[in-house]
Amino acid sequence: MDRLIDGWGREIRSLRVSVTDKCNFRCRYCMPAEGLEWLERDELLTFEEIARLVRVLAAMGVDEIRLTGGEPLVRRDLPVLVRLLAETPGVNDLSLTTNGVLLDRLAEPLVEAGLRRLNVSLDSLSHVRFAEITRRDALDRVLAGLEEAERYPELRPIKVNCVAMRGFTEVEVPALAELARRKPYVVRFIEFMPLDADESWRGDDVLSGAEIRALIEERWPLEEIPAKASSTARRFRFADGAGEIGFINPVSEPFCSSCDRIRLTADGQLRTCLFSRKEWDLKTPLREGASEEELERLLRFAIAHKELKHKINEPGFVRASRSMSQIGG
Ligand code: SAM
Ligand code: SF4
């Protein structure tokens, strides 16, 4: 079958699937403290509906699937979906992004179901500051979740993601860099993007990857590791050989020209960019009995219209139509 190519010649290989808009944290850079309305249960795609769309996309060359949310581990029976997707022909890389708070219980069933890669979000190793940023006192549970994940050698690499915010993250950098040296975790810093529900983002709040790298190199020199062209992260090893650090710099070094990603929201809308203002409804055709060919045609049409790039750094930038937890980061 023909590969999926967008209107700018980029091949689409990667799908982020949001399985819920709900979350047990309220991270400041993502959700409001309260007041976000949840989707109704029947608005969520079922596991079978998600698996059907993944089958259609995998036949067109989408071989990398990442589950996300909201917090994906609050979706009941998630390992059932992981198994369905792990068994889908063409899916070579199945991963999960989580805040880690339920991982101590779920790592084992997820690995048994076929999960092979894991990203855990962690912004601070201080209890007080962790609670300040997530609005939940749950650092110990996240660390316990990471320890539990470490017990499964199948789950590698384990990536730890930290959103880099000026005025907050600078003091966290040494401890997070040490974590990358001490543990089998790749610690990655992601520049803060204007996807917070509170809409408080300002350009000055972005702590760039280059600034964090300079902070780390005051103590530990880094060496760049060549990465895949479609990779969102620049990878570095510590020059003395202990551990790996990554930088995801969507604001200071946009990587849109090599973007191979699309996103499926929990309510079955296809988004061709994190910053899309338009969504493509897949749930209605799925529920109205669309054939594989009809779904394929709809997907190809939507992807032909994928945005060239985000416009965060341009005058008149307009925010996305939903915030991060509702899209699926
Ligand atoms: N709840 C899970 C978690 O936190 O890992 C999965 C969903 S979360 C929306 C996915 C990723 O998006 C997390 O690594 C989170 O830190 C990141 N994120 C959320 N809001 C962001 C923002 N405004 N800018 C950059 N990254 C953000
Ligand atoms: Fe929840 Fe993840 Fe958003 Fe934090 S970043 S509020 S854990 S969805």
Side-chain angles (χ1 to χ4, degrees):
M1 194 181 287
D2 287 346
R3 318 289 283 179
L4 261 178
I5 311 288
D6 78 2
W8 310 96
R10 297 169 295 196
E11 183 177 352
I12 304 304
R13 302 280 302 269
S14 166
L15 172 70
R16 309 265 162 109
V17 179
S18 172
V19 295
T20 180
D21 59 328
K22 288 193 182 145
C23 188
N24 40 15
F25 283 11
R26 292 290 180 278
C27 303
R28 290 176 186 277
Y29 46 72
C30 180
M31 287 180 95
E34 51 195 42
L36 205 61
E37 278 189 23
W38 306 133
L39 294 167
E40 298 289 336
R41 199 191 155 90
D42 65 354
E43 291 179 273
L44 297 181
L45 291 190
T46 64
F47 290 167
E48 290 67 29
E49 288 168 336
I50 294 173
R52 177 152 186 240
L53 286 175
V54 168
R55 264 200 313 279
V56 174
L57 283 162
M60 294 189 272
V62 173
D63 57 358
E64 189 186 307
I65 310 289
R66 170 176 299 281
L67 299 176
T68 181
E71 172 46 42
L73 300 188
V74 304
R75 175 93 186 235
R76 192 178 306 158
D77 297 329
L78 190 71
V80 173
L81 177 65
V82 167
R83 189 174 301 282
L84 278 175
L85 300 184
E87 289 169 352
T88 301
V91 172
N92 299 323
D93 185 349
L94 179 59
S95 59
L96 171 82
T97 300
T98 172
N99 63 26
V101 77
L102 298 174
L103 253 189
D104 53 348
R105 274 185 263 156
L106 284 166
E108 183 175 6
L110 287 167
V111 171
E112 270 174 13
L115 188 74
R116 291 295 172 264
R117 279 196 319 120
L118 185 67
N119 287 4
V120 178
S121 300
L122 178 60
D123 300 306
S124 173
L125 289 166
S126 133
H127 289 87
V128 173
R129 291 169 58 79
F130 181 95
E132 191 184 316
I133 202 82
T134 62
R135 302 184 176 113
R136 296 290 182 271
D137 181 11
L139 175 61
D140 287 339
R141 288 200 58 194
V142 173
L143 294 176
L146 274 165
E147 291 283 333
E148 174 65 12
E150 235 184 276
R151 291 184 44 228
Y152 302 93
E154 302 94 323
L155 266 192
R156 293 292 185 278
I158 296 175
K159 293 179 183 165
V160 169
N161 290 336
C162 166
V163 176
M165 301 172 79
R166 188 177 306 284
F168 183 89
T169 307
E170 294 90 333
V171 298
E172 306 296 336
V173 169
L176 287 164
E178 250 171 25
L179 186 74
R181 294 175 60 78
R182 186 158 48 80
K183 288 287 200 176
Y185 312 151
V186 179
V187 173
R188 308 188 315 164
F189 296 92
I190 308 177
E191 289 175 351
F192 178 31
M193 291 181 277
L195 290 162
D196 54 319
D198 288 337
E199 303 200 2
S200 74
W201 183 95
R202 298 287 171 272
D204 289 346
D205 299 333
V206 180
L207 181 64
S208 72
E211 290 172 278
I212 296 183
R213 185 176 152 197
L215 288 174
I216 297 175
E217 291 204 306
E218 282 175 10
R219 186 149 160 216
W220 296 293
L222 297 172
E223 289 170 352
E224 188 148 12
I225 308 170
K228 276 200 304 188
S230 63
S231 169
T232 53
R234 285 181 65 184
R235 300 171 55 194
F236 290 81
R237 68 169 78 86
F238 290 90
D240 64 5
E244 185 178 326
I245 290 279
F247 298 99
I248 302 175
N249 301 338
V251 183
S252 67
E253 297 179 51
F255 33 79
C256 306
S257 61
S258 58
C259 180
D260 66 351
R261 283 169 295 286
I262 51 174
R263 292 183 151 76
L264 180 63
T265 65
D267 55 344
Q269 306 296 305
L270 182 79
R271 294 179 65 93
T272 50
C273 175
L274 252 182
F275 293 92
S276 290
R277 303 274 310 155
K278 175 173 176 45
E279 299 183 339
W280 301 83
D281 181 17
L282 297 175
K283 183 176 62 186
T284 307
L286 266 176
R287 293 191 179 171
E288 289 179 349
S291 66
E292 311 287 290
E293 292 69 33
E294 283 165 336
L295 290 174
E296 185 196 325
R297 222 172 310 128
L298 180 53
L299 288 162
R300 286 194 191 280
F301 187 77
I303 285 158
H305 292 85
K306 179 171 159 71
E307 296 76 351
L308 174 61
K309 58 181 181 138
H310 72 62
K311 298 189 174 150
I312 300 177
N313 298 317
E314 295 179 20
F317 164 72
V318 185
R319 295 176 62 103
S321 51
R322 305 203 232 186
S323 57
M324 191 64 133
S325 65
Q326 299 166 315
I327 296 171

